[in-house]
Amino acid sequence: MGSLVSCDQEEVLIQNVCEIYDNLSTLKSLKPSKDVNTLFTRLVLTCMPPSPIDVTKLSGKVQGIRSKLIRLCGEAEGLLESHFSALLGSFNVPLDHINIFPYYTNYIKLGHLEYTILSNYITNPNPSDIAFIGSGPLPLTSIVLASYHLRNTMFHNYDIDRSANALASNLVAADPDLWKRMLFHDTDIMDVTAGLSDYEVVFLAALVGLNKEDKRKVIDHLAKYMAPGSLLMLRSAHGARGFLYPIVEPSDLPGFEVLAIFHPMDDVINSVIIARKSKDKYQY
């Protein structure tokens, strides 16, 4: 009886997700608006509850919808962050108003979670340099970690979108401490080689590499150039949340030793993986 119920629940979940996708895909723009906000809120609330579903084993048709949905989520998230970053940037001291961003409390929780996990494995409790790959126009993880948890660390934020970095840089310009410790690089991380060995910790944003192949290319590049013993923090997704973000499996991390995986059950959507770069030179 239990398996029948879970099968029925899975069917309803898939049906709801596909219906939301159909509605989203007809919108002319994914910029913040009442329709966009309503549909994405509905999507998140549909996918948030813990679910035994394995989205990687669904039918080819549903897999195709999932891939397109992850791309739509990525595009909408970028537009939402750009909108709020520009809005915040219009204030004299942008960070005094940061909680107008509707998901700021989620980032506070995620930052605390990631710092707690990091503290269990990092050899130097005050790392001098951290890289965040895919920091975007509203680099809240770096801001939260720099403001509350790692107050002496330099944060190197990488994003290939120059306009995103300009918006992000403007947010911290009025904060003398963060302005000194937050650097922004308009660089594709695939073009950074020896420089990656400077970082004791590298964070990889969930939306860098929207499919498994692209994500794996980035991870292989990091495995080749990160310093032996340095730490990689990745965002993944679990259960139905895999309709929103790419899933990273331990098998996707050759050249790294997976230390821990944490799947939040609350409104923090992303799972967190921490892995250590192997001491042995990674071979392709």
Side-chain angles (χ1 to χ4, degrees):
M1 181 70 183
S3 63
L4 278 175
V5 171
S6 64
C7 268
D8 286 347
Q9 288 172 338
E10 194 171 292
E11 283 302 316
V12 170
L13 172 66
I14 292 168
Q15 193 177 336
N16 287 339
V17 167
C18 290
E19 185 186 312
I20 296 167
Y21 166 73
D22 286 341
N23 290 329
L24 280 171
S25 61
T26 62
L27 295 177
K28 289 192 175 74
S29 168
L30 292 176
K31 287 181 178 176
S33 68
K34 189 180 176 187
D35 287 345
V36 170
N37 299 348
T38 299
L39 284 169
F40 276 107
T41 299
R42 195 174 139 213
L43 180 63
V44 169
L45 291 175
T46 300
C47 296
M48 194 190 298
S51 166
I53 194 170
D54 183 347
V55 296
T56 65
K57 293 192 166 62
L58 300 175
S59 71
K61 181 187 174 190
V62 178
Q63 289 285 7
I65 288 171
R66 175 181 169 247
S67 295
K68 292 175 194 165
L69 196 51
I70 287 172
R71 290 196 175 276
L72 289 179
C73 288
E75 184 185 341
E77 193 167 308
L79 291 167
L80 181 75
E81 290 186 2
S82 291
H83 170 80
F84 276 97
S85 188
L87 182 61
L88 284 163
S90 66
F91 293 102
N92 289 334
V93 184
L95 296 185
D96 284 354
H97 305 272
I98 199 161
N99 47 10
I100 65 171
F101 182 63
Y103 302 108
Y104 179 60
T105 53
N106 292 52
Y107 279 91
I108 292 283
K109 289 179 190 173
L110 181 60
H112 181 261
L113 169 63
E114 290 181 322
Y115 176 70
T116 304
I117 293 170
L118 190 60
S119 301
N120 289 330
Y121 296 100
I122 198 162
T123 47
N124 173 11
N126 293 299
S128 58
D129 291 273
I130 281 179
F132 194 98
I133 302 168
S135 47
L138 193 60
L140 285 174
T141 298
S142 292
I143 288 169
V144 168
L145 289 172
S147 301
Y148 300 111
H149 303 294
L150 295 165
R151 295 183 177 176
N152 299 303
T153 300
M154 297 287 290
F155 284 79
H156 296 258
N157 299 285
Y158 286 87
D159 202 290
I160 54 173
D161 184 341
R162 187 170 292 179
S163 63
N165 282 335
L167 284 168
S169 176
N170 187 45
L171 293 180
V172 298
D175 186 302
D177 173 49
L178 290 185
W179 179 246
K180 283 187 298 191
R181 294 193 294 119
M182 298 268 283
L183 304 175
F184 296 92
H185 304 279
D186 306 327
T187 314
D188 186 334
I189 203 65
M190 300 298 283
D191 296 329
V192 182
T193 53
L196 280 167
S197 65
D198 295 340
Y199 306 120
E200 292 159 75
V201 184
V202 174
F203 282 79
L204 183 62
L207 295 171
V208 174
L210 289 179
N211 59 48
K212 196 173 270 292
E213 295 73 30
D214 290 344
K215 182 84 74 178
R216 181 61 188 271
K217 278 180 197 163
V218 177
I219 291 168
D220 283 346
H221 182 76
L222 297 176
K224 190 173 180 184
Y225 292 107
M226 279 173 64
S230 59
L231 295 171
L232 176 63
M233 300 282 290
L234 306 100
R235 275 85 178 265
S236 179
H238 185 64
R241 299 169 183 214
F243 282 113
L244 307 173
Y245 290 103
I247 292 172
V248 179
E249 307 282 3
S251 58
D252 297 323
L253 292 161
F256 291 93
E257 175 199 357
V258 175
L259 302 172
I261 302 173
F262 187 82
H263 300 304
M265 295 295 188
D266 59 6
D267 54 354
V268 173
I269 300 295
N270 289 119
S271 300
V272 178
I273 301 173
I274 183 168
R276 181 173 278 125
K277 169 71 190 297
S278 302
K279 302 281 187 192
D280 302 326
K281 186 160 178 62
Y282 174 48
Q283 300 292 330
Y284 282 96

Coordinates of all heavy atoms in Angstrom, one line a residue, residues 150-195:
L150 N 34.0 34.7 8.4 CA 35.4 34.7 8.0 C 35.9 36.2 7.8 O 35.9 36.7 6.7 CB 35.6 33.9 6.7 CG 35.3 32.4 6.8 CD1 35.2 31.7 5.5 CD2 36.4 31.7 7.7
R151 N 36.1 36.8 8.9 CA 36.3 38.3 8.9 C 37.7 38.8 8.6 O 37.9 40.0 8.5 CB 35.8 38.8 10.3 CG 34.4 38.6 10.5 CD 33.9 39.2 11.8 NE 32.4 39.0 11.9 CZ 31.7 39.3 13.0 NH1 32.3 39.9 14.0 NH2 30.4 39.1 13.0
N152 N 38.6 37.8 8.3 CA 39.9 38.2 7.9 C 40.3 37.7 6.5 O 41.4 37.8 6.1 CB 41.0 37.8 8.9 CG 40.7 38.4 10.3 OD1 40.7 39.6 10.4 ND2 40.5 37.6 11.3
T153 N 39.4 37.0 5.9 CA 39.6 36.3 4.6 C 39.4 37.2 3.4 O 38.4 38.0 3.4 CB 38.7 35.1 4.6 OG1 39.0 34.2 5.7 CG2 38.9 34.3 3.3
M154 N 40.2 37.0 2.4 CA 40.0 37.7 1.1 C 39.1 36.8 0.3 O 39.3 35.6 0.1 CB 41.3 37.9 0.4 CG 42.3 38.8 1.1 SD 41.8 40.5 1.0 CE 42.1 40.9 -0.7
F155 N 38.1 37.4 -0.3 CA 37.1 36.6 -1.2 C 37.3 37.0 -2.6 O 37.1 38.2 -3.0 CB 35.7 36.9 -0.7 CG 35.3 36.2 0.5 CD1 35.7 36.7 1.8 CD2 34.6 35.1 0.5 CE1 35.4 36.1 2.9 CE2 34.2 34.4 1.7 CZ 34.6 34.9 2.9
H156 N 37.7 36.1 -3.4 CA 37.9 36.3 -4.9 C 36.6 35.7 -5.6 O 36.4 34.5 -5.7 CB 39.1 35.5 -5.3 CG 40.4 36.0 -4.7 ND1 41.2 36.9 -5.4 CD2 40.9 35.8 -3.5 CE1 42.3 37.2 -4.6 NE2 42.1 36.6 -3.4
N157 N 35.8 36.7 -6.1 CA 34.6 36.3 -6.8 C 34.7 36.3 -8.3 O 35.1 37.3 -8.9 CB 33.5 37.3 -6.4 CG 33.3 37.4 -4.9 OD1 32.6 36.5 -4.3 ND2 33.8 38.4 -4.2
Y158 N 34.5 35.1 -8.9 CA 34.6 35.0 -10.3 C 33.3 34.9 -11.0 O 32.4 34.1 -10.6 CB 35.4 33.7 -10.6 CG 36.9 33.7 -10.3 CD1 37.3 33.4 -9.0 CD2 37.8 34.0 -11.3 CE1 38.7 33.5 -8.7 CE2 39.1 34.1 -11.0 CZ 39.6 33.8 -9.7 OH 40.9 33.8 -9.4
D159 N 33.1 35.7 -12.0 CA 31.9 35.6 -12.9 C 32.3 36.1 -14.3 O 33.0 37.2 -14.4 CB 30.8 36.5 -12.3 CG 29.4 36.0 -12.8 OD1 29.1 36.2 -14.0 OD2 28.7 35.4 -12.0
I160 N 31.9 35.4 -15.3 CA 32.2 35.8 -16.6 C 31.4 37.0 -17.1 O 31.8 37.6 -18.2 CB 32.1 34.6 -17.6 CG1 30.7 34.0 -17.6 CG2 33.1 33.5 -17.4 CD1 30.4 32.9 -18.6
D161 N 30.4 37.3 -16.4 CA 29.5 38.5 -16.8 C 30.0 39.7 -16.1 O 29.9 39.9 -14.9 CB 28.1 38.2 -16.4 CG 27.1 39.2 -16.8 OD1 27.5 40.4 -17.2 OD2 25.9 39.0 -16.8
R162 N 30.6 40.6 -17.0 CA 31.2 41.8 -16.4 C 30.2 42.7 -15.8 O 30.4 43.4 -14.8 CB 31.9 42.6 -17.6 CG 32.7 43.8 -17.2 CD 33.5 44.3 -18.3 NE 34.6 43.4 -18.6 CZ 35.5 43.6 -19.6 NH1 35.4 44.7 -20.3 NH2 36.5 42.7 -19.8
S163 N 29.0 42.8 -16.4 CA 27.9 43.6 -15.8 C 27.5 43.1 -14.4 O 27.2 43.9 -13.5 CB 26.7 43.7 -16.7 OG 26.1 42.5 -16.9
A164 N 27.5 41.8 -14.2 CA 27.2 41.2 -12.9 C 28.2 41.6 -11.9 O 27.9 42.0 -10.8 CB 27.1 39.7 -13.0
N165 N 29.5 41.6 -12.3 CA 30.5 42.0 -11.4 C 30.5 43.5 -11.0 O 30.8 43.9 -9.9 CB 31.9 41.7 -11.9 CG 32.2 40.2 -11.8 OD1 31.7 39.5 -10.9 ND2 33.1 39.7 -12.7
A166 N 30.1 44.3 -12.0 CA 29.9 45.7 -11.7 C 28.8 46.0 -10.7 O 29.0 46.8 -9.8 CB 29.6 46.5 -13.0
L167 N 27.7 45.3 -10.9 CA 26.6 45.5 -9.9 C 27.1 45.0 -8.5 O 26.8 45.6 -7.5 CB 25.4 44.6 -10.3 CG 24.5 45.2 -11.5 CD1 23.6 44.2 -12.0 CD2 23.8 46.5 -11.0
A168 N 27.8 43.8 -8.5 CA 28.2 43.2 -7.2 C 29.2 44.1 -6.5 O 29.2 44.4 -5.3 CB 28.8 41.9 -7.5
S169 N 30.2 44.7 -7.3 CA 31.2 45.5 -6.7 C 30.6 46.8 -6.1 O 31.0 47.3 -5.0 CB 32.2 45.9 -7.8 OG 33.2 46.8 -7.4
N170 N 29.6 47.3 -6.8 CA 28.9 48.5 -6.3 C 28.3 48.3 -4.9 O 28.2 49.2 -4.1 CB 27.9 49.0 -7.3 CG 27.2 50.3 -7.0 OD1 27.9 51.2 -6.6 ND2 25.9 50.4 -7.0
L171 N 27.8 47.1 -4.6 CA 27.2 46.8 -3.4 C 28.1 46.9 -2.2 O 27.7 47.3 -1.1 CB 26.6 45.3 -3.3 CG 25.5 45.0 -4.3 CD1 25.1 43.5 -4.1 CD2 24.3 45.9 -4.1
V172 N 29.4 46.6 -2.4 CA 30.3 46.6 -1.2 C 31.2 47.9 -1.2 O 32.0 48.1 -0.3 CB 31.2 45.3 -1.2 CG1 30.4 44.1 -1.1 CG2 32.1 45.2 -2.5
A173 N 31.0 48.7 -2.2 CA 31.9 49.9 -2.4 C 31.8 50.8 -1.1 O 32.8 51.5 -0.8 CB 31.5 50.7 -3.6
A174 N 30.6 50.9 -0.5 CA 30.5 51.8 0.7 C 30.9 51.2 2.0 O 30.8 51.8 3.0 CB 29.0 52.3 0.7
D175 N 31.3 49.9 1.9 CA 31.7 49.2 3.2 C 33.2 49.1 3.2 O 33.8 48.3 2.4 CB 31.1 47.8 3.2 CG 31.3 47.1 4.5 OD1 32.5 46.9 4.9 OD2 30.4 46.7 5.2
P176 N 33.9 49.9 4.0 CA 35.4 50.0 3.9 C 36.1 48.6 4.1 O 37.1 48.3 3.4 CB 35.8 50.9 5.0 CG 34.6 51.7 5.4 CD 33.4 50.8 5.0
D177 N 35.5 47.8 5.0 CA 36.1 46.5 5.3 C 35.9 45.5 4.1 O 36.8 44.9 3.5 CB 35.5 45.9 6.5 CG 36.0 44.4 6.7 OD1 37.2 44.2 6.6 OD2 35.1 43.5 7.0
L178 N 34.7 45.4 3.6 CA 34.4 44.4 2.6 C 35.0 44.9 1.2 O 35.4 44.1 0.4 CB 32.9 44.3 2.4 CG 32.1 43.5 3.5 CD1 30.7 43.3 3.1 CD2 32.8 42.1 3.8
W179 N 35.1 46.2 1.0 CA 35.7 46.7 -0.2 C 37.1 46.3 -0.3 O 37.6 46.0 -1.4 CB 35.6 48.2 -0.2 CG 36.2 48.9 -1.4 CD1 37.3 49.7 -1.4 CD2 35.7 48.8 -2.7 NE1 37.5 50.1 -2.7 CE2 36.6 49.6 -3.5 CE3 34.7 48.1 -3.4 CZ2 36.4 49.7 -4.9 CZ3 34.5 48.2 -4.7 CH2 35.4 49.0 -5.5
K180 N 37.8 46.1 0.8 CA 39.2 45.7 0.8 C 39.3 44.2 0.6 O 40.3 43.7 0.1 CB 39.9 46.1 2.1 CG 40.3 47.5 2.3 CD 41.1 47.7 3.5 CE 40.3 47.4 4.8 NZ 40.9 47.8 6.0
R181 N 38.3 43.4 1.0 CA 38.4 42.0 1.1 C 37.6 41.3 0.0 O 37.7 40.0 -0.1 CB 38.0 41.5 2.4 CG 38.9 41.9 3.6 CD 38.7 41.2 4.8 NE 37.4 41.4 5.5 CZ 36.5 40.5 5.7 NH1 36.7 39.2 5.3 NH2 35.4 40.8 6.3
M182 N 36.8 42.0 -0.8 CA 36.0 41.4 -1.9 C 36.6 41.8 -3.2 O 36.5 43.0 -3.6 CB 34.6 41.8 -1.7 CG 33.9 41.4 -0.5 SD 33.1 39.8 -0.6 CE 31.6 40.2 -1.4
L183 N 37.2 40.9 -3.9 CA 37.7 41.1 -5.3 C 36.8 40.5 -6.3 O 36.3 39.4 -6.1 CB 39.1 40.6 -5.4 CG 40.1 41.1 -4.3 CD1 41.4 40.4 -4.4 CD2 40.3 42.6 -4.4
F184 N 36.7 41.1 -7.5 CA 35.8 40.6 -8.5 C 36.6 40.4 -9.8 O 37.3 41.3 -10.2 CB 34.6 41.6 -8.7 CG 33.7 41.7 -7.5 CD1 34.0 42.7 -6.6 CD2 32.7 40.8 -7.3 CE1 33.2 42.7 -5.4 CE2 31.9 40.8 -6.2 CZ 32.1 41.8 -5.2
H185 N 36.5 39.2 -10.3 CA 37.3 38.8 -11.5 C 36.3 38.5 -12.7 O 35.5 37.6 -12.6 CB 38.2 37.6 -11.2 CG 39.1 37.8 -10.0 ND1 40.3 38.4 -10.1 CD2 38.9 37.3 -8.8 CE1 40.9 38.4 -8.9 NE2 40.1 37.7 -8.1
D186 N 36.5 39.3 -13.8 CA 35.7 39.0 -15.0 C 36.4 37.9 -15.8 O 36.8 38.1 -16.9 CB 35.6 40.2 -15.9 CG 35.1 41.5 -15.2 OD1 34.3 41.3 -14.3 OD2 35.6 42.6 -15.5
T187 N 36.4 36.7 -15.2 CA 37.2 35.7 -15.8 C 36.5 34.4 -15.9 O 35.8 34.0 -14.9 CB 38.5 35.4 -15.0 OG1 39.1 36.7 -14.7 CG2 39.5 34.6 -15.7
D188 N 36.6 33.6 -17.0 CA 36.1 32.3 -17.1 C 37.0 31.4 -16.2 O 38.2 31.4 -16.5 CB 36.0 31.8 -18.5 CG 35.3 30.5 -18.7 OD1 35.3 29.7 -17.7 OD2 34.8 30.2 -19.8
I189 N 36.5 30.7 -15.3 CA 37.3 29.9 -14.4 C 38.1 28.8 -15.2 O 39.1 28.4 -14.7 CB 36.5 29.2 -13.3 CG1 37.3 28.9 -12.0 CG2 35.7 28.0 -13.7 CD1 37.9 30.1 -11.3
M190 N 37.6 28.4 -16.4 CA 38.3 27.5 -17.2 C 39.6 28.0 -17.7 O 40.5 27.3 -18.2 CB 37.4 27.0 -18.3 CG 36.1 26.3 -17.9 SD 36.4 24.8 -16.9 CE 36.8 23.7 -18.2
D191 N 39.7 29.4 -17.7 CA 41.0 30.0 -18.1 C 41.9 30.3 -16.9 O 43.0 30.8 -17.1 CB 40.7 31.4 -18.8 CG 39.9 31.2 -20.1 OD1 40.0 30.1 -20.7 OD2 39.1 32.1 -20.4
V192 N 41.5 29.9 -15.7 CA 42.4 30.1 -14.6 C 43.1 28.8 -14.3 O 42.4 27.8 -14.1 CB 41.6 30.6 -13.3 CG1 42.5 30.8 -12.1 CG2 40.8 31.8 -13.6
T193 N 44.4 28.8 -14.2 CA 45.1 27.5 -14.0 C 45.9 27.6 -12.7 O 45.4 27.3 -11.7 CB 46.0 27.2 -15.3 OG1 46.8 28.4 -15.5 CG2 45.1 26.9 -16.5
A194 N 47.1 28.0 -12.8 CA 48.0 28.0 -11.6 C 47.4 28.8 -10.5 O 47.6 28.5 -9.3 CB 49.4 28.6 -12.0
G195 N 46.6 29.9 -10.8 CA 46.0 30.7 -9.8 C 45.1 30.0 -8.9 O 44.9 30.4 -7.7

